Amino acid sequence: MIGGAPVFEAIANRFYDLMEQDPAYAELRAMHAEDLEPMRRSLPRFLAGWAGGPRDWFEANPGKCMMSLHKDFPIDRMTAEQWAEAMARAIAEVAPEPANIAQAMTDVLTRMARGMAR
């Protein structure tokens, strides 16, 4: 409904571009591996399955979710907000249609990110 794999790939790539290029996300970037390429390949597959598309990410990672994969990371309010803001910007800049679905996706991912803060 929102455009499939190409849209999720564009969102993920823009998200990681922002993380790498914008100093506002420096703490978030520091939490990640030097090479973001594996994440650039994984996040779009997660987002597609999460949004109701192909479930190959979930099949390749049985019993995993974003919360369990990030449980060992020192996520605080600041880094959770950086993640949420970068993702919201990425979605807004890619501007998938329909806009109400894109906004709903932003809202849910923002709540998920904030829920990871300790």
Side-chain angles (χ1 to χ4, degrees):
M1 186 173 195
I2 202 165
V7 169
F8 293 118
E9 289 167 9
I11 290 169
N13 282 322
R14 184 61 188 139
F15 171 77
Y16 288 114
D17 288 348
L18 287 166
M19 190 190 307
E20 286 186 308
Q21 298 165 4
D22 192 326
Y25 310 118
E27 293 83 5
L28 178 63
R29 176 63 185 98
M31 294 175 71
H32 288 76
E34 186 174 328
D35 181 9
L36 292 176
E37 193 56 37
M39 298 308 306
R40 286 179 184 269
R41 288 190 309 269
S42 181
L43 183 58
R45 293 175 51 230
F46 167 80
L47 291 173
W50 171 81
R55 308 277 302 163
D56 60 323
W57 185 93
F58 293 92
E59 291 167 7
N61 298 281
K64 303 287 184 186
C65 69
M66 281 298 118
M67 301 296 267
S68 65
L69 288 172
H70 291 85
K71 68 180 173 56
D72 294 330
F73 287 85
I75 300 169
D76 59 18
R77 286 185 182 190
M78 179 180 60
T79 52
E81 286 300 324
Q82 287 180 11
W83 193 98
E85 182 182 312
M87 182 56 71
R89 280 183 61 189
I91 293 169
E93 291 175 18
V94 170
E97 292 291 333
N100 65 322
I101 300 295
Q103 185 58 55
M105 186 170 117
T106 299
D107 294 346
V108 171
L109 290 171
T110 294
R111 285 193 304 273
M112 181 183 70
R114 289 177 178 158
M116 288 188 201
R118 299 185 258 306

